[in-house]
Amino acid sequence: MKRLLGGFLIAALLLSGCDDGSGQNAAKKAEAGTGAATRLASGAKVADLKKKYGAQPSDKAIMPLYNVDQKQVLEFKFNTKFKDQIAADVVSIHTDSKALKESEIFTLRDFKDKNAAKDTVEVKPTVGVLASDDNPAAYEKAWGNAPIYYARINYDLNADVPTKLDQPLIIPFTIKSEVPVPTVKYEISQDGRFRLKWNKVEGAEGYRIYNRSKTTLMKNENKPLRGAEEGYAGNIPQLVTTVTGTEFDDFMKDGRGGLGQSSDATISLQNMLVKGEYYVTAIAGGKESNFSVGVSTADLSERLPAGLAKSDNIFLKEYDQVSDIPRSVSVEFIDGSHSQRDLIFDTANLKIQEYGSTEVHFKVKGTALKGFVLVKKATPDDVKLLESNGPVQDTSGYVEPENTTDYVPSPDVPTIIDTTKGKEEPKKEEAPAPTDNLVDAQKDNTKKQVEEGNKQEVPVPEVTSEAGVNADSALEEYLALNMVDAKKEISLSAFPEAQNFETLSDVLQKVVYQNPLILGVKQYRYDYDTLTLEVNYDDTEEHIKKKQGEIIAEAKKIVAAVIKPGMSDDDKRKALYDYLNDNTKYDDEALKSAEASGFKQVDEKYSDSFNTYGIMVKKVGVCASYAATYKMLSDLSGLKAITVTGYMSGVPHAWNKVKIGQEWVNVDTTNNATNSGVPYLLYNSDDTTAKSIEYETDQAYWLDKELSEFKSTDNSKDYYVMNGLEVKSVTEYGTKLADQLKSGKPVIAIRMGAKLNEDEVFDEAAKVLSEVAKDKLKTAKLATLGTYIVLKP
C-alpha cells in the first residue's frame, strides 16, 4: 500500500540567504518597519540628517587608531580630576566590539600623575593575547596578535566633574602587523562541507592555520568557544598546518578534505576533526602576521553534517523490496544534534540483478554522505517508484554581495588618517611619527573630520517620496539614501562610529535588506585611507532608477487592488500573501545560473530575480526577491514587517517577520502552495514552529544575535492552528484527513504537532482513502515535508 502512496513529489523549496544587522537599539529597530516619517528637503546636508534623529553616536565617537605599536602606552586625558575613582574603573581594554566584562584583557592601568592631576589614565600592555608556540608575540609588555582591540571609556572625557557615561565610549584600535593580516571567511558547500577561505596577501610565501578547541577524548564533538568575546582566554591556538593556497578543508591532513572514506564509492563521515575556532596568519620574509579574525564552528554546528545517526546507518543494509527502503535518514551534526535528510537514489545507473541482491546507490541530500543498500527483489516498477518518490533538489536563491574590505587595514595605513589635509598630506612612507598621546590626537582629528563631513550634501531620491526609507539612525538613512540613489562612492567621514569592519558590515547589510528599493548591490569595499565606502551595482544608475519607478508603480497598483477599505491588519497580511501565491512563481532558471557558479555570481539576465524588481514587476524571482517584495508591500499597506535571513535545512534562505500585537511571527512567502506544494508552510508561525521545520536565523549579524526583540512564542495566529490542521496522533490525522477528503480539497496539508511514525501515517492515509475515496487509492500521492503531511488525491 505504501507503494501506491509514495509518489507525490513536492515542488522544490526555494531557498535564499541574506542578513540584517547593526549595532543600534533592538527595541527601536522593531518599530522601524514602515519607512522614515520625515523626508529631507533637496540640498539637505549631513548635519540636517543628524538633527532629524537627535543625539548621534558620532557626537561623542572617536575614530579607530590603526597600526598602533606593539608596546604603545595609551593615554586617556579627561577634562576633570578623579578623586574617588580608580583607573581600572575609568578605562579598560577588550577584544570584542561590545566591550563587555568577559572580553576584558589584563592591562596595567593607573593615573599618569597620582599625586597631582589625576586627569590622565595610562594603559600599558602586559602579556599579549592570541600567542602560541608557533606565533609567540608574547614579548614582555606587548599587546599581542588579536586582529582588533577596543578601548572602553566609562567616563565623559569632556565633563568638568567625573561623569559616568550611560553608554561607554568605545574606540577600536589595531596593532601594527609586520605582514598584512589575511581576511578569513568560511564557506559551507552545497553538500555540507566546511572550508576556510581568505584573500591573497601580496608577497606571502605561505599561510598558517591555527585552531583553538576544547579537548574532548575520543569524541567528534564541537564545544563552543567565545574567542574575542572572552578575550581569547583558555586554550592557546595550536598550529594545524601550513599551506601555500588561499583555502583549506583538509582538517585530517590526509588529502581527503575532511571526508572519512571506507572505499572510493562510499563516504561514512564528513567534516572530520572540524571543531572550535580557526585563525589564519600570513608568512613573508621569515615574518608572520597577526592572527586573522576567528571563525567559530560552534555557531555553524547545526549546518555541518558529521555522519549518519547510528540508528539510521543503512549502508549495506538488506531489504526485501524497494518499498521498504526509507526515503529519509537521520543525520548527526558535529554538535551531536540530529536532523532528517532525504535520500536521493541513483536510478540511472541501477542494474537489477536477476539472481542475488540488487545494489541501490544513494546520497544524502545536503551532505557528502553516500553509499548503497541491498534489495532482495527489485523490478523496473520499483525503479520508477524511486524516481517518482525522489526528494526535492537542493536549492538556494541568494548570491550575497561580496565584501572585499580588509578586516584590518594593511600595515602601511597611517595610525591616524587625516583626509582633510588634501594634497598636503605626506605620503605614507613619509608620515610623521605619531604623538605620545594618540587618543588626544585622534580626538582632535575626529572633530575635524566630522565637521567637514557634516557639510556634505545628502542625496534625496525622488522615489523615496513614495516609499520612504527604513532607518533607525542618521548613518542608516544616509547609507540608504545614497544606495537608493545608486551612488558608487559614499564618504563616511561624518560617521566615526562606522570606521570599523564589523560595525560597517552589519549596518550596511541591515540597510540593504530592509530597504527594497536598493537594487543590485554586487560588491562593496571600505577604503580606510579615504574613509570612503565604494559600492558596485549590477546595473547602471539610469537603469536602476527606471526600475525603481516601475517597482513603485506596480506596488501601488497591487496595494490598491488587494487592500480593501475596512480590512483588518490580519486580512491585509493574508491578502498580500495570497497575491504573491496566485500571481508569481519561483525562477528556476535563475537558480540554475546561481548554482552553476557555486552561488558566487549570476548571469546578468537573471539579476532582477535576486531583488525586488523580479517578483514585483516580472512576477518571477528567488526568495530574496519574495522577502523584499513582501516587506515593501507591507510598508505601503501600513503593516510592520522586517526581512529575516538564515537557513532552512542548512540551506541559505530569506523570509519575513511581521508584527502582530507584541509578537514578531514568521511569514515565508516563497514557500507557498505554488512553489513548495504546501499551502501556508510558514504563515504567522511562532519561532518554535519555524525551528521544527528547520528554519534558523543567521547568527552572523547583530540583529539575529539580539533577536529576542523580534521573538514569537504565541502560535495562536498560525495558519494550521487557526484552521484546525495540526494533529498530535495518527488517529487524529485519519479523522482530519477524512474531513478534508469529503470537502474535495485538491491538496490536503496537515501538520504534525507531535512526532508521529511515518509508516503509521502512510498506513492510516491508505485506510482513510479506501473508506472515503476508494477511487483515489491507486492514484493518490502522499509525502512528508518536515512536520507537514501532504496528500494529493
Side-chain angles (χ1 to χ4, degrees), residues 360-603:
V360 179
H361 287 257
F362 67 85
K363 63 179 180 178
V364 183
K365 181 184 174 184
T367 78
L369 306 171
K370 60 183 179 181
F372 64 89
V373 296
L374 301 172
V375 181
K376 292 180 181 178
K377 185 179 180 181
T379 69
D381 286 341
D382 293 333
V383 176
K384 292 179 181 179
L385 176 61
L386 287 176
E387 291 173 345
S388 64
N389 195 54
V392 298
Q393 64 182 17
D394 290 322
T395 58
S396 177
Y398 177 65
V399 177
E400 183 177 359
E402 183 183 9
N403 182 0
T404 60
T405 309
D406 290 335
Y407 190 85
V408 296
S410 62
D412 59 0
V413 171
T415 299
I416 296 175
I417 297 171
D418 185 358
T419 61
T420 61
K421 291 181 180 179
K423 295 180 180 179
E424 297 177 7
E425 184 178 8
K427 297 178 181 179
K428 289 179 183 177
E429 60 270 23
E430 300 172 354
T435 62
D436 287 339
N437 193 334
L438 294 178
V439 178
D440 261 7
Q442 187 66 304
K443 181 180 174 182
D444 292 340
N445 181 52
T446 300
K447 182 180 178 182
K448 181 167 58 175
Q449 295 281 7
V450 171
E451 286 175 350
E452 287 296 316
N454 284 343
K455 299 174 185 176
Q456 295 171 352
E457 189 168 314
V458 180
V460 187
E462 184 59 35
V463 71
T464 60
S465 64
E466 302 278 2
V469 292
N470 291 302
D472 295 319
S473 69
L475 170 60
E476 290 177 14
E477 184 166 343
Y478 176 71
L479 287 172
L481 290 169
N482 273 279
M483 285 191 283
V484 168
D485 208 39
K487 289 288 186 286
K488 293 182 178 180
E489 292 188 353
I490 306 171
S491 171
L492 295 179
S493 62
F495 299 95
E497 68 273 26
Q499 319 294 322
N500 173 272
F501 180 93
E502 290 186 0
T503 302
L504 180 59
S505 299
D506 288 353
V507 173
L508 184 140
Q509 291 188 73
K510 174 193 174 182
V511 167
V512 169
Y513 300 137
Q514 303 308 321
N515 285 279
L517 285 175
I518 296 176
L519 305 180
V521 176
K522 184 169 63 174
Q523 185 184 75
Y524 61 97
R525 171 185 175 271
Y526 182 64
D527 189 324
Y528 290 98
D529 281 314
T530 63
L531 309 184
T532 301
L533 177 68
E534 300 168 353
V535 185
N536 289 329
Y537 303 87
D538 61 17
D539 209 341
T540 65
E541 179 181 341
E542 180 184 4
H543 285 164
I544 287 173
K545 292 184 176 180
K546 180 176 180 294
K547 288 176 181 177
Q548 289 170 339
E550 292 180 55
I551 289 169
I552 288 291
E554 182 64 15
K556 291 167 66 176
K557 178 181 173 183
I558 293 169
V559 170
V562 169
I563 304 301
K564 306 299 182 184
M567 268 188 171
S568 66
D569 284 352
D570 287 340
D571 291 338
K572 291 178 182 179
R573 279 185 285 269
K574 188 171 182 298
L576 295 175
Y577 181 100
D578 289 340
Y579 172 85
L580 295 177
N581 178 72
D582 298 341
N583 296 279
T584 68
K585 63 179 182 178
Y586 194 81
D587 191 342
D588 294 312
E589 293 303 313
L591 174 65
K592 291 177 183 177
S593 175
E595 285 179 327
S597 67
F599 296 96
K600 300 302 179 189
Q601 59 185 13
V602 177
D603 189 301

Side-chain angles (χ1 to χ4, degrees), residues 189-459:
S189 65
Q190 289 295 101
D191 60 1
R193 296 169 64 183
F194 177 72
R195 178 180 290 110
L196 295 169
K197 304 188 79 171
W198 54 91
N199 62 303
K200 182 179 180 180
V201 172
E202 197 65 36
E205 299 145 11
Y207 304 90
R208 287 181 173 175
I209 290 87
Y210 291 87
N211 174 250
R212 289 177 70 243
S213 59
K214 294 184 178 178
T215 304
T216 306
L217 186 62
M218 301 299 289
K219 286 187 179 180
N220 186 25
E221 292 184 341
N222 195 38
K223 299 286 186 180
L225 293 167
R226 294 181 59 206
E229 295 178 19
E230 291 183 335
Y232 306 102
N235 304 45
I236 67 170
Q238 300 296 316
L239 179 65
V240 177
T241 191
T242 301
V243 300
T244 55
T246 57
E247 60 181 57
F248 178 75
D249 67 358
D250 193 15
F251 301 97
M252 292 182 69
K253 294 181 287 186
D254 59 3
R256 293 184 291 183
L259 299 177
Q261 294 179 279
S262 57
S263 74
D264 291 339
T266 305
I267 297 173
S268 57
L269 296 169
Q270 68 178 98
N271 292 314
M272 296 284 284
L273 299 184
V274 173
K275 58 185 182 295
E277 295 175 345
Y278 291 93
Y279 310 86
V280 178
T281 64
I283 305 167
K287 297 178 179 179
E288 188 171 3
S289 74
N290 292 348
F291 278 68
S292 70
V293 63
V295 174
S296 172
T297 60
D299 295 337
L300 309 172
S301 288
E302 293 182 348
R303 296 175 54 205
L304 296 175
L308 295 179
K310 290 180 180 179
S311 59
D312 273 9
N313 193 345
I314 63 173
F315 173 59
L316 287 177
K317 191 171 181 179
E318 191 169 47
Y319 297 92
D320 289 332
Q321 54 188 8
V322 169
S323 60
D324 294 329
I325 302 174
R327 298 304 189 258
S328 65
V329 291
S330 180
V331 172
E332 184 170 338
F333 292 77
I334 65 173
D335 63 347
S337 62
H338 293 81
S339 176
Q340 287 295 123
R341 289 289 187 268
D342 290 325
L343 294 176
I344 301 172
F345 298 100
D346 182 8
T347 57
N349 298 307
L350 192 152
K351 295 181 180 179
I352 298 174
Q353 300 298 315
E354 186 175 352
Y355 303 102
S357 297
T358 296
E359 290 184 5
V360 179
H361 287 257
F362 67 85
K363 63 179 180 178
V364 183
K365 181 184 174 184
T367 78
L369 306 171
K370 60 183 179 181
F372 64 89
V373 296
L374 301 172
V375 181
K376 292 180 181 178
K377 185 179 180 181
T379 69
D381 286 341
D382 293 333
V383 176
K384 292 179 181 179
L385 176 61
L386 287 176
E387 291 173 345
S388 64
N389 195 54
V392 298
Q393 64 182 17
D394 290 322
T395 58
S396 177
Y398 177 65
V399 177
E400 183 177 359
E402 183 183 9
N403 182 0
T404 60
T405 309
D406 290 335
Y407 190 85
V408 296
S410 62
D412 59 0
V413 171
T415 299
I416 296 175
I417 297 171
D418 185 358
T419 61
T420 61
K421 291 181 180 179
K423 295 180 180 179
E424 297 177 7
E425 184 178 8
K427 297 178 181 179
K428 289 179 183 177
E429 60 270 23
E430 300 172 354
T435 62
D436 287 339
N437 193 334
L438 294 178
V439 178
D440 261 7
Q442 187 66 304
K443 181 180 174 182
D444 292 340
N445 181 52
T446 300
K447 182 180 178 182
K448 181 167 58 175
Q449 295 281 7
V450 171
E451 286 175 350
E452 287 296 316
N454 284 343
K455 299 174 185 176
Q456 295 171 352
E457 189 168 314
V458 180

Side-chain angles (χ1 to χ4, degrees), residues 9-147:
L9 174 61
I10 297 176
L13 291 181
L14 309 172
L15 312 179
S16 144
C18 46
D19 207 326
D20 157 293
S22 78
Q24 310 301 319
N25 180 270
K28 186 177 179 182
K29 275 187 182 177
E31 300 302 325
T34 56
T38 307
R39 186 168 181 262
L40 292 173
S42 179
K45 309 294 185 185
V46 171
D48 300 316
L49 183 58
K50 289 183 177 181
K51 287 177 184 177
K52 172 180 172 180
Y53 285 89
Q56 289 293 299
S58 53
D59 294 341
K60 293 185 178 181
I62 296 177
M63 289 181 174
L65 296 164
Y66 300 130
N67 294 315
V68 171
D69 185 78
Q70 272 281 4
K71 298 183 180 181
Q72 178 73 48
V73 176
L74 297 177
E75 293 184 5
F76 299 86
K77 184 174 177 58
F78 293 79
N79 196 41
T80 183
K81 294 182 179 181
F82 290 95
K83 296 180 180 179
D84 302 322
Q85 294 77 15
I86 61 174
D89 291 336
V90 178
V91 179
S92 55
I93 306 297
H94 303 255
T95 54
D96 178 61
S97 58
K98 294 185 178 67
L100 301 179
K101 184 67 179 175
E102 293 82 357
S103 68
E104 184 177 352
I105 63 174
F106 182 66
T107 55
L108 297 177
R109 287 161 289 171
D110 210 339
F111 293 106
K112 189 172 183 178
D113 188 343
K114 301 178 187 178
N115 300 317
K118 289 190 75 173
D119 61 358
T120 302
V121 176
E122 281 187 334
V123 182
K124 300 178 181 179
T126 55
V127 177
V129 299
L130 270 185
S132 74
D133 293 339
D134 295 276
N135 187 338
Y139 342 97
E140 191 83 19
K141 300 178 182 176
W143 290 107
N145 293 320

